[in-house]
Amino acid sequence: MALPARLTAALGRHPDDLTEDDLRRAVDNQIPEGVDLDWKKDFYQGTESGKKELAKDVSAMANTVGGLLVIGIDDGKKDHAHALAPFEPDPRRGEEWIRSVLANCIQPVVPNVGVRPLKSADEGKIYWIITVPPSTQMPHAVTMPGNDYHFRVHIRHGTTTRTLAESEIAQRYRDRFHAATTDTDHLHDIAAAGVRHLTTFVTSEVPVGGTQASSFPLWVSMTAVPTVRGNYPLTNREERDAALKRFTTLAYQAVTTRMKPDHHALVGRRQVRFEGHPTGHLHQDGSTFTAQALNVQKDPYDKDAPKKLYQRGLELDLVAQVQVAASWAAETGGAGDIMLSAALHRFDDDLTSLRVIASEDDFQRGPGQSISRMPAQATANLQALVANKHEAVSTAYVLAADLLADMSVHQPYVLTPDGDIRLERLNERYRHELTGW
């Protein structure tokens, strides 16, 4: 989960990994509260006012920069960690109760809040660690009835929480809508630059004569932009080489290794470029453009027939592209949702239509179908894609279904909307390539 970098620096490790020893060091060092850190001695009461207070604290952090609530640390009324104060848990108010309050009392719901108990060495006592990621859906309002809390929007202000005025709330909504437009424009800019780079590579001459397009006339690309931007150093050769090496490691963890770069890092402004199979860009802010050549074959029985595209390869490539795009975005510190756009690119004037073949046993005949020219788009939760490969398959299913529908194919052949891969529909070669499944 992406949280303010100051927290990790101050606490000595990522908040998701905190131990009681880390909390004790925080007390010894008198780590101060801030817009992203709130020490609380007592757990929230099960009353209406207690629920409102919990909703207010979490929504205020989400409306600011995200952050961390630690319950069980006494601040001594001095706004810094003063003493450990673990407490006995109430079985009626555990993680399920916390999540229920957040789901019912905040609109829109703050996504991806982390909730975990931390055991204390003091027998039977615990702390609660609540991590709140920065949100792209703010402003989040507390919506429980009551004169003081009815649809109130709060933010962190130093070590305290304050309520926004109506004019400030209106500005937050304008900022949200502007950010959505900016994300879309950024996605288009990344895609356009990526296609230019891909075109240069595919149309360049190869030593044996001709161009890459002679052997690889059709490519599938994936452009991705996280809604909460990351920040990864990519300003010199050493940093770019290290970034591409790290990306290669992430690519090995995808459903296939076909997204593993096979050439060295190239120069780009605040980005690292690579070409070959695959070709692409890795941007400092967590955005990516990747492209992979597809398996297009001539019909061995009819030289005048449209060429064949095996859709299984397209579907599995899309899964891997979703996975590596999400992994890179998370690696840079990106968070929130991730916008994805998949597109087909042909580089052979004779390749005007294709027969999309489900498997080698499919002896489809008849006219070919026009190649889709319209990108397919989807938005998914970044953390979910990184944490669960089935989420990546579900997202790739949506993208594949749209691209294939443009070529008169009813649905993907091996991917399912529930996030599974129909292994029985893969031959031995495809199964052998499924390194990450």
Side-chain angles (χ1 to χ4, degrees), residues 48-177:
E48 291 300 297
S49 61
K51 295 177 182 178
K52 293 173 186 176
E53 191 69 16
L54 171 58
K56 183 183 76 170
D57 289 342
V58 170
S59 63
M61 247 172 206
N63 286 334
T64 313
V65 295
L68 178 68
L69 294 170
V70 181
I71 308 166
I73 300 291
D74 185 0
D75 69 355
K77 299 183 178 180
K78 297 180 180 179
D79 296 332
H80 64 68
H82 177 70
L84 298 181
F87 51 89
E88 293 183 359
D90 185 337
R92 298 167 299 177
R93 288 182 290 130
E95 179 178 347
E96 185 176 350
W97 180 83
I98 294 173
R99 293 194 180 281
S100 176
V101 170
L102 300 182
N104 293 324
C105 303
I106 301 176
Q107 292 295 331
V109 174
V110 179
N112 306 315
V113 174
V115 178
R116 72 179 177 99
L118 175 60
K119 290 184 179 180
S120 170
D122 193 346
E123 188 68 27
K125 294 186 177 182
I126 65 167
Y127 307 86
W128 279 107
I129 310 293
I130 300 179
T131 48
V132 185
S135 175
T136 58
Q137 300 177 27
M138 59 181 180
H140 298 273
V142 177
T143 57
M144 292 183 65
N147 293 332
D148 293 333
Y149 285 87
H150 186 57
F151 209 85
R152 293 296 181 94
V153 176
H154 308 275
I155 62 167
R156 292 284 292 175
H157 184 70
T159 62
T160 63
T161 298
R162 76 173 181 87
T163 304
L164 292 182
E166 183 179 10
S167 59
E168 293 176 302
I169 296 173
Q171 183 60 52
R172 293 296 179 105
Y173 279 114
R174 286 193 291 269
D175 290 344
R176 184 210 286 181
F177 299 141

Side-chain angles (χ1 to χ4, degrees), residues 406-427:
D406 288 346
M407 295 185 287
S408 299
V409 177
H410 286 292
Q411 62 191 22
Y413 182 65
V414 296
L415 307 184
T416 75
D418 296 328
D420 288 322
I421 296 176
R422 294 186 174 99
L423 298 179
E424 74 278 4
R425 294 186 175 182
L426 298 178
N427 62 22

